[in-house]
Amino acid sequence: MTAVAPSLQTGRTSRTRTTAKPKGAAWARRAPLLPALLFTIVVTQIPFIVTVVYSFQSWNLVRPGSSHFVGVQNYVDVFTDSQFRVALLNTVLITVVCVLIALLLGLGLAILLDRKFLGRGVVRTLLITPFLILPAAGALLWKTTMFDPTYGLLNFVFGGDTDWLSEFPLSSVMVQIIWQWTPFMMLLLLAGLQSQPKDVLEAASVDGAGRWRTFASITLPHLSRYIQLSVLLGAIYIVNSFDAIFLMTQGGPGTASTNLPYYIYQRAFQGFDVGQSSAMGVIVVIMTLIVATFALRLMFRTFDVSRGVK
Amino acid sequence: MTTHTQRRFGRASLTVVTWVIAILFVFPLLWMILTSFKQEADAYTDPPKLAFGPTLSQFASILDRGFLPYLANSAFVTVVSTLIVLLVGVPAAYALSLAPVPKTSNVLGFFLSTKMLPIVAAIIPLYVISQKTQLLDNVWALIILYTAMNLPLAIWMMRSFFLEVPTEMIEAGRVDGAKLPLLLSRVILPVVAPGIAATALICVIFSWTEFFYAVNLTAARAGTVPVFLVGFITSEGLYWAQLSAAALLASLPVMIVGWIAQNHLVRGLSMGAVK
């Protein structure tokens, strides 16, 4: 985390360094920032440092006093653990598929809502609701009333007696996640659509540009920062998905729908293996950092951070 | 048909299509609401029942099962952590926008990078630390963690709202000899207030719905509404009607707030990118 920040320095901001000002003034300038900065450093960095320490220990919570230093053994174990690889793959799959589909569905819905029609407010209210209900409630709701093999509505509509959660565990979980995050994408993209300058759209139609042409060469470029923002925020939350898996499939059957957050949770709170779950945590953080560095660069370009920095 | 009526017909059918899609999309939710008014025997039938004698007994039994303390915990944790986020975050956003500190982009990068830290990587130390500090199953553990969870995003959001304050207004105020407190209260705060409200709303939603910390760090005493839902399903098997009532009650506060403040929601999520 701290490692990411320095690499982001854009060069433009280096001019902001205060020159020849008394020290007191510089600290007065920093004072409003310090509480937030200190709080965030303490609460987010200390647990992580402790995780790193634990990752070199062999420690089982059910055997008090069992903790001792084992070096990199936990890491070796994680890399030879085939379940870890399954969980990693599932995490990537869930994140990529859910973000993409939710984005496309959200875009479609946003386009439908970006017109004046009877009951637009009501439709928008309906559509944002899956984002507002508790994800835990959403997961339980899909598990029972939708996916249940005997009484579920899916089998009632499509016929048959498919046991969705055990035959298609990963897809079922993804359906629920997509359902929950599509409204989020829709809201953001709708905001983007509605902030389009009307005169440019009118000029395009005067110039005889068709709907597709206008969409491709005016709307999409305008939407790009909204799309980036929805992908980034959506990915941050979806990569950490836990509720849906915990409540709908418990990662199963076998490891079919286990993702990394759930697998680490399992090792820690059911296997009580502090050392190995910590090592997995560290590996996940390192992988996330690599991805996040690219994401942050994108974010900085999109939101021109140097703005307001004089 | 003339092109005019054709176009009108096209628009009307698009409206119908939009309505149908919207209703299909929220159908699971509508079904949940319907189920919460059923007797258990009507809740799972094959084929599903649409006609039934509605009852409020499921809601009554939810309250009997001790739902209110969980609701109170959720409300307390959400309100207090959101207040702390604003208290600490507003000055920080100010320091990163209107009176920028050196290396602003590094600080912003640091804040956002903490959002990308997988929360699961910190859960074991957090569990051990809470245990040692007597904060396990204590609402203050959640308040601290939710504040840390929402603060980075809140600072980013509020910063973009602060940047919308026209510099000319601030300069004009300065020329007129206004000092910082006056500038803040007369010029800056009125402009950023809607943005701060939008940010608070997002924090409320994310705190209220948070699941992972709540499930792992609290139990009966400090449990929030998601914890209530979990205990529900593991303890007594499936009671669909009661579960639906619980899910509805647990979601209702945030649902209502979000419905009322839809426009704030959009502003907050798009980090002020909507003008």
Side-chain angles (χ1 to χ4, degrees), chain A residues 62-132:
Chain A
V62 280
R63 293 196 302 273
S66 70
S67 93
H68 61 274
F69 183 79
V70 290
V72 294
Q73 189 55 45
N74 287 322
Y75 289 90
V76 175
D77 291 344
V78 171
F79 279 113
T80 50
D81 177 3
S82 62
Q83 294 190 15
F84 178 79
R85 283 196 293 273
V86 172
L88 174 64
L89 257 166
N90 284 345
T91 310
V92 174
L93 197 67
I94 291 174
T95 310
V96 172
V97 171
C98 291
V99 168
L100 270 182
I101 297 184
L103 185 76
L104 287 177
L105 286 178
L107 182 63
L109 291 174
I111 291 172
L112 282 177
L113 279 187
D114 187 32
R115 329 170 284 122
K116 286 201 172 65
F117 64 91
L118 190 67
R120 180 165 83 164
V122 182
V123 170
R124 190 174 82 161
T125 306
L126 284 177
L127 285 175
I128 64 170
T129 311
F131 177 63
L132 296 173

Side-chain angles (χ1 to χ4, degrees), chain A residues 1 29 36 47 51 118 124-126 129 134 140 144 156 179 184 191 226 243 265 277 288 292 296 300 305 307-308, chain B residues 19 25-26 29 48 88 97 100 105-106 112 116-117 121 124-125 159 211 216 233 240 251 259 262-263 266 269 273:
Chain A
M1 294 113 314
R29 233 171 140 81
T51 307
L118 190 67
R124 190 174 82 161
T125 306
L126 284 177
T129 311
L134 289 184
L140 290 175
T144 54
F156 173 69
W179 180 73
F184 173 85
Y226 292 85
D243 342 19
Y265 158 84
S277 45
T288 312
L296 279 183
F300 270 67
V305 168
R307 219 183 115 207
Chain B
W19 267 96
F25 189 76
V26 290
L29 214 60
V88 181
S97 55
S105 61
N106 287 355
L112 199 64
M116 300 186 178
L117 178 80
I124 301 148
R159 176 179 181 268
F211 183 79
N216 286 314
I233 195 149
W240 285 14
S251 306
W259 283 344
Q262 281 181 38
N263 292 321
V266 174
L269 287 174

Side-chain angles (χ1 to χ4, degrees), chain A residues 4-62:
Chain A
V4 183
S7 63
L8 283 161
Q9 204 179 357
T10 51
R12 275 172 295 184
T13 53
S14 54
R15 270 180 284 133
T16 60
R17 205 159 301 175
T18 40
T19 45
K21 265 191 187 167
K23 268 211 166 124
W27 280 106
R29 233 171 140 81
R30 289 189 183 95
L33 174 68
L34 286 181
L37 196 57
L38 288 178
F39 182 87
T40 308
I41 290 173
V42 169
V43 181
T44 64
Q45 309 299 294
I46 289 182
F48 177 64
I49 294 168
V50 179
T51 307
V52 175
V53 174
Y54 286 171
S55 72
F56 296 108
Q57 314 264 323
S58 167
W59 181 11
N60 196 303
L61 273 181
V62 280

Side-chain angles (χ1 to χ4, degrees), chain B residues 81-101:
Chain B
S81 77
T82 302
L83 284 179
I84 302 177
V85 165
L86 295 185
L87 200 70
V88 181
V90 168
Y94 172 77
L96 292 169
S97 55
L98 296 180
V101 295

